[in-house]
């Protein structure tokens, strides 16, 4: 049985963001302190433990990329969302450890 979500490299995410041809929704599922230390500017923080409570805030017709530190928590988020009918769900492989683009920081 194949998984109901897809992998996407950090490089591909960066490329898609730069071309602005599609409306990607980036959801960072790390903890607030990890997010504050450095995140992709377009990403919204939605820590994995509260994802079940707030998943309804993510439109099902959007292309959603889940992000974490290394790809494990974001894979869990993908699995959860896909099981609830989200069809355009991607896991950023390698997470922020493999992100080479610019970082935003919360003060």
């Amino acid at each position: 049985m194949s998984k109901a979500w897809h992998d996407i490299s950090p490089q591909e995410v960066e490329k898609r963001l730069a071309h602005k041809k599609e409306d990607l929704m980036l959801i960072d599922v790390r903890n607030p302190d990890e997010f504050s230390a450095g995140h992709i500017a377009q990403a919204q923080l939605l820590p994995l433990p509260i994802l079940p409570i707030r998943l309804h805030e993510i439109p099902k017709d959007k292309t959603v990329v889940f992000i974490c530190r290394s790809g494990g928590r974001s894979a869990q988020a993908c699995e959860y969302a896909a099981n609830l009918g989200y069809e355009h769900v991607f896991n950023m492989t390698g997470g922020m450890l493999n992100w080479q683009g610019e970082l935003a920081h919360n003060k």
Side-chain angles (χ1 to χ4, degrees):
M1 183 175 180
S2 65
K3 62 187 178 187
W5 45 274
H6 311 280
D7 290 326
I8 188 169
S9 71
Q11 295 78 17
E12 181 65 20
V13 171
E14 189 172 14
K15 186 170 102 177
R16 289 186 184 192
L17 289 172
H19 287 98
K20 298 180 179 148
K21 290 182 181 173
E22 64 184 305
D23 190 16
L24 292 181
M25 187 169 201
L26 304 182
I27 305 295
D28 194 316
V29 298
R30 297 177 297 161
N31 296 323
D33 58 329
E34 293 174 290
F35 185 81
S36 294
H39 59 273
I40 301 169
Q42 296 87 338
Q44 299 174 39
L45 177 63
L46 184 53
L48 187 61
I50 64 169
L51 183 64
I53 300 165
R54 295 186 48 202
L55 187 65
H56 68 277
E57 297 174 19
I58 302 171
K60 285 190 174 182
D61 61 344
K62 289 261 193 178
T63 298
V64 181
V65 178
F66 287 104
I67 302 161
C68 69
R69 178 180 172 272
S70 63
R73 286 175 283 179
S74 52
Q76 291 175 38
C78 285
E79 186 72 22
Y80 183 76
N83 285 337
L84 292 174
Y86 286 78
E87 296 180 9
H88 309 287
V89 179
F90 292 83
N91 177 31
M92 191 173 88
T93 57
M96 293 303 293
L97 290 175
N98 287 350
W99 178 256
Q100 298 297 312
E102 290 187 36
L103 292 177
H105 299 273
N106 291 355
K107 305 268 187 222

